[in-house]
Amino acid sequence: MTASGPQAAQEIVSRLTGPGGEFEMAVDDVLGARLPVFVHRAGSLGEVLSASLRHGDADYLVTEHDRLSFAEHGAAVASLARVLRTGYGVGPGDRVGIMAANSPGWIIAFWATVSLGAVAVGYNAWWSPRETEHALGLTTPTVVVADHKRAPALREAGVTVLSVEDDLPEITRRHPDTPLPDVTVAEDDPAVILFTSGTSGMAKAVVHTHRNLTSVIEYHRFNDAMARAFGDPTDPTARRYLLAMPLFHIASLHNLAIPRLATGSAVVMNLGRFEADRVLRLIESERVTNWGAVPTMAHRLMEHGDLASYDLSSLTAFSLASAPSSPEFKQRLRETVPFAKNSLVDSYGLTESATAISVATPADLEQAPGTLGRPVIGVEVQIRDETGAVLPPGQEGEVCTRSAYTMAGYFHDPEATARTIGPDRWLHTGDIGLLDEQGRLRLASRRSDLILRGGENVYPTEVEYVLDEHPAVAECVVLGVDHPDLGQEIGAVVVTRDGAAVTERELTEFCRQRLAHFKVPCHWRLTASALPRNATGKIIRKTITL
């Protein structure tokens, strides 16, 4: 008999996480704060990697043209790790960069790096040269694994590069019988650095530790156990997860590629641009069971129309991530896309949080449209006012959270870390929201005036700083413009200096040279009139239109 209802769910959680349970939790010290932790977590990602060999010939990485078993992946990682150590001197604490489009080589490079106790740095493959230069100078990698598109510019910058296409195929086969590294690391040693757009200036480098990531693994294993307890007979090793978002985001790396190595599940990778027909054919041919998509992808599915011509019967779990979507959008999605009808899940998280802060189940979305659900296992959430006081349910304030998943801090930026993580490891998200009487989270507004374009964060201030560098610009404001496919596009209102002559085309090219393509405005209004400001001199964004 299948358990159901809130009381049954709580009983299952208590059994799984209580004393002696498979996912037993206890309070322990994490970077100076007492936090709930999984007692039986792995001690490091190296342990996770070694344990994955037990899955043998089962698929781990699958693309349209190739597949790599867990055993083959382990051998490739061991060979590359040996070359990184003996040929390039990579050791504990050193940084190894990865700047490439998604590929099995990206993931192999990640695991080889962390197996040495080194730190894998996932650079945004869409960055402009200036953004790349900033990130390289901040993280000083010993070597960077890059694809053909990015490697030439990196070499010109004096960086030691290993090519995904030319070097990795030979290196990963060079030492077929070498064992995986046996390196001792502390749980709170850094394992990976990913970047998040800064509210001012350049992107910040988010440091996640071995503990962060082994905890995320346990969170996903716990979810699998909950599904079994509620009657899902599927063995986790039989699940096949579609990876369609960039690996330099937590959605693909932390919450897909990494935990699925531990659970023995296949990662089915869409390579290149998202094209609905090709992705649907991949789901059909590889019998994909789970897919986490950004709303832009979901919108393209709805626009595609002829979904009935594909066999999508294997797809039983579908979630939205990385960008907000309205209740109306979700309802249209359920009505249009068959596999979303009874399985749609939404979530809320940040790069800094490593995984979801809260998750809304299908029942949550039905009972409270617009909710982002309840905090996930091991996560605490508080709503605070401007003074830091905790607010009761129903009152809006800043969303603050803490857990063993939360980043250690920003790399080489103690001031930004101190502004974001307060005493007792509380992470200040900058988002405004509330908790309802049932403990479900709802957001009132995103951080600052954050624009989300196709799942990518764009902070207006960063774009405004670039525009301010142009000699013809007196002042400017950057806004989100609604778009049916991408969610939002970037718009800019520019006040030109007296006598200055500048065109939209000139400003577009100026931005292209300094920003990733998704941050470049495509809607413009050039004016000689000053921007509206309040009594303190701040621009009143809400009154400005394109």
Side-chain angles (χ1 to χ4, degrees), residues 72-369:
E72 291 167 334
H73 171 260
V77 167
S79 183
L80 176 56
R82 178 170 171 177
V83 172
L84 288 175
R85 183 182 65 245
T86 61
Y88 297 89
V90 174
D94 292 332
R95 269 81 61 202
V96 173
I98 310 172
M99 192 168 196
N102 286 1
S103 71
W106 204 113
I107 295 175
I108 291 169
F110 168 83
W111 284 109
T113 299
V114 298
S115 73
L116 294 168
V119 183
V121 185
Y123 299 118
N124 189 319
W126 298 342
W127 275 337
S128 70
R130 186 166 83 160
E131 291 167 312
T132 301
E133 181 182 5
H134 162 73
L136 291 172
L138 177 65
T139 56
T140 58
T142 301
V143 60
V144 175
V145 176
D147 57 18
H148 278 165
K149 185 175 181 179
R150 285 91 186 171
L154 291 169
R155 290 192 176 103
E156 287 178 12
V159 176
T160 300
V161 174
L162 287 176
S163 166
V164 170
E165 297 89 350
D166 299 331
D167 298 321
L168 288 197
E170 186 277 324
I171 290 175
T172 55
R173 294 179 175 88
R174 188 181 299 176
H175 304 289
D177 299 319
T178 196
L180 289 168
D182 183 13
V183 177
T184 300
V185 299
E187 277 197 282
D188 293 317
D189 283 350
V192 61
I193 293 173
L194 296 182
F195 288 79
T196 185
S197 295
T199 53
S200 60
M202 292 291 189
K204 297 191 292 259
V206 175
V207 178
H208 289 128
T209 66
H210 287 263
R211 184 203 298 269
N212 292 152
L213 295 172
T214 58
S215 299
V216 170
I217 288 170
E218 291 305 292
Y219 161 61
H220 284 279
R221 290 185 60 244
F222 170 80
N223 288 341
D224 291 341
M226 286 291 291
R228 287 196 303 273
F230 273 95
D232 186 341
T234 309
D235 189 303
T237 61
R239 295 190 184 277
R240 301 175 73 81
Y241 290 76
L242 181 68
L243 192 160
M245 290 184 278
L247 279 160
F248 50 78
H249 286 325
I250 63 167
S252 290
L253 183 60
H254 294 28
N255 292 278
L256 208 167
I258 291 174
R260 297 312 150 197
L261 188 83
T263 60
S265 314
V267 176
V268 180
M269 304 179 70
N270 172 58
L271 304 183
R273 295 175 61 86
F274 180 87
E275 297 173 4
D277 178 70
R278 189 175 62 172
V279 169
L280 291 169
R281 293 295 178 199
L282 187 62
I283 292 170
E284 181 180 57
S285 64
E286 290 298 335
R287 308 304 294 158
V288 168
T289 60
N290 296 66
W291 181 13
V294 297
T296 296
M297 295 176 184
H299 178 265
R300 292 179 185 176
L301 288 180
M302 291 190 285
E303 293 294 307
H304 187 66
D306 189 22
L307 298 180
S309 63
Y310 306 89
D311 179 5
L312 306 175
S313 58
S314 63
L315 195 55
T316 56
F318 184 71
S319 62
L320 293 175
S322 301
S325 56
S326 67
E328 293 76 18
F329 178 89
K330 294 184 182 73
Q331 184 57 35
R332 283 195 293 119
L333 183 61
R334 282 188 287 259
E335 293 171 353
T336 309
V337 179
F339 53 77
K341 184 176 181 180
N342 299 313
S343 65
L344 184 61
V345 170
D346 203 356
S347 62
Y348 164 66
L350 318 170
T351 303
E352 290 87 343
S353 66
T355 191
I357 292 170
S358 65
V359 170
T361 65
D364 289 326
L365 295 174
E366 181 180 356
Q367 295 165 12

Side-chain angles (χ1 to χ4, degrees), residues 530-543:
L531 297 175
R533 296 177 182 271
N534 62 19
T536 63
K538 292 183 179 179
I539 294 173
I540 309 173
R541 290 177 180 270
K542 293 182 179 180
T543 66

Side-chain angles (χ1 to χ4, degrees), residues 251-494:
S252 290
L253 183 60
H254 294 28
N255 292 278
L256 208 167
I258 291 174
R260 297 312 150 197
L261 188 83
T263 60
S265 314
V267 176
V268 180
M269 304 179 70
N270 172 58
L271 304 183
R273 295 175 61 86
F274 180 87
E275 297 173 4
D277 178 70
R278 189 175 62 172
V279 169
L280 291 169
R281 293 295 178 199
L282 187 62
I283 292 170
E284 181 180 57
S285 64
E286 290 298 335
R287 308 304 294 158
V288 168
T289 60
N290 296 66
W291 181 13
V294 297
T296 296
M297 295 176 184
H299 178 265
R300 292 179 185 176
L301 288 180
M302 291 190 285
E303 293 294 307
H304 187 66
D306 189 22
L307 298 180
S309 63
Y310 306 89
D311 179 5
L312 306 175
S313 58
S314 63
L315 195 55
T316 56
F318 184 71
S319 62
L320 293 175
S322 301
S325 56
S326 67
E328 293 76 18
F329 178 89
K330 294 184 182 73
Q331 184 57 35
R332 283 195 293 119
L333 183 61
R334 282 188 287 259
E335 293 171 353
T336 309
V337 179
F339 53 77
K341 184 176 181 180
N342 299 313
S343 65
L344 184 61
V345 170
D346 203 356
S347 62
Y348 164 66
L350 318 170
T351 303
E352 290 87 343
S353 66
T355 191
I357 292 170
S358 65
V359 170
T361 65
D364 289 326
L365 295 174
E366 181 180 356
Q367 295 165 12
T371 184
L372 288 165
R374 296 173 175 83
V376 305
I377 188 77
V379 170
E380 300 173 78
V381 171
Q382 292 181 347
I383 306 299
R384 299 184 178 183
D385 66 15
E386 297 85 349
T387 69
V390 179
L391 296 172
Q395 291 193 25
E396 288 185 1
E398 184 182 15
V399 180
C400 297
T401 180
R402 67 174 185 170
S403 72
Y405 315 123
T406 303
M407 69 168 184
Y410 298 115
F411 189 70
H412 285 181
D413 197 342
E415 293 182 359
T417 300
R419 288 194 300 269
T420 305
I421 299 180
D424 291 330
R425 300 285 302 161
W426 282 98
L427 173 70
H428 292 256
T429 68
D431 290 337
I432 305 302
L434 59 84
L435 291 170
D436 65 19
E437 295 292 343
Q438 287 72 44
R440 291 182 294 226
L441 178 65
R442 185 182 296 267
L443 289 191
S445 63
R446 300 289 292 184
R447 282 163 288 168
S448 183
D449 296 285
L450 180 67
I451 301 168
L452 285 112
R453 180 193 181 278
E456 292 291 334
N457 291 352
V458 180
Y459 281 93
T461 306
E462 182 182 6
V463 183
E464 290 162 1
Y465 279 8
V466 168
L467 284 170
D468 285 341
E469 295 176 14
H470 195 285
V473 175
E475 60 179 354
C476 64
V477 65
V478 171
L479 309 167
V481 179
D482 289 343
H483 187 273
D485 184 31
L486 297 171
Q488 289 179 297
E489 288 186 317
I490 316 305
V493 177
V494 173

